[in-house]
Amino acid sequence: MGMLIVTMMAGRLKIGHITKILTLLGLTVIPQGVACMLSGGNWTRLMALVAFACIGDAICSCANIIAVPAIQMRMPDAMLGKVMALLSASLFAHFDD
């Protein structure tokens, strides 16, 4: 879904918007915490967690689509492979747990 949104908004997304996008990503955690604190059924909590996690994933895709080309354009050619390897390792480090 995030890739679809980015495709539709590709002309308007710029590196200057990354702080707003990351703020939105952080704000998706708040409803998840509230859903866990409120008394309600387990299914209600689960649906809130899943819904806001999906929204967060779409927002993260938008941030990734903005950040990676910006990093690639600013890096010297001699360092591009090393920097992208470090970026990939840091993005996928949480999958090792």
Side-chain angles (χ1 to χ4, degrees):
M1 184 61 100
M3 298 297 177
L4 179 64
I5 293 169
V6 169
T7 303
M8 292 187 303
M9 299 174 49
R12 292 181 277 174
L13 293 175
K14 299 190 180 359
I15 193 67
H17 296 124
I18 196 78
T19 55
K20 294 175 186 174
I21 291 173
L22 292 177
T23 301
L24 283 174
L25 179 61
L27 291 176
T28 61
V29 178
I30 295 170
Q32 294 178 20
V34 170
C36 289
M37 291 185 338
L38 294 177
S39 60
N42 288 337
W43 282 105
T44 305
R45 290 183 191 146
L46 178 64
M47 290 301 122
L49 290 173
V50 168
F52 284 101
C54 288
I55 292 169
D57 188 34
I59 294 171
C60 194
S61 294
C62 290
N64 191 26
I65 294 296
I66 294 171
V68 169
I71 291 169
Q72 289 176 341
M73 290 183 341
R74 287 179 171 85
M75 282 296 114
D77 290 338
M79 294 188 63
L80 187 58
K82 295 175 181 97
V83 171
M84 293 312 294
L86 181 62
L87 180 65
S88 295
S90 65
L91 289 176
F92 297 113
H94 66 279
F95 290 123
D96 291 338
D97 293 341

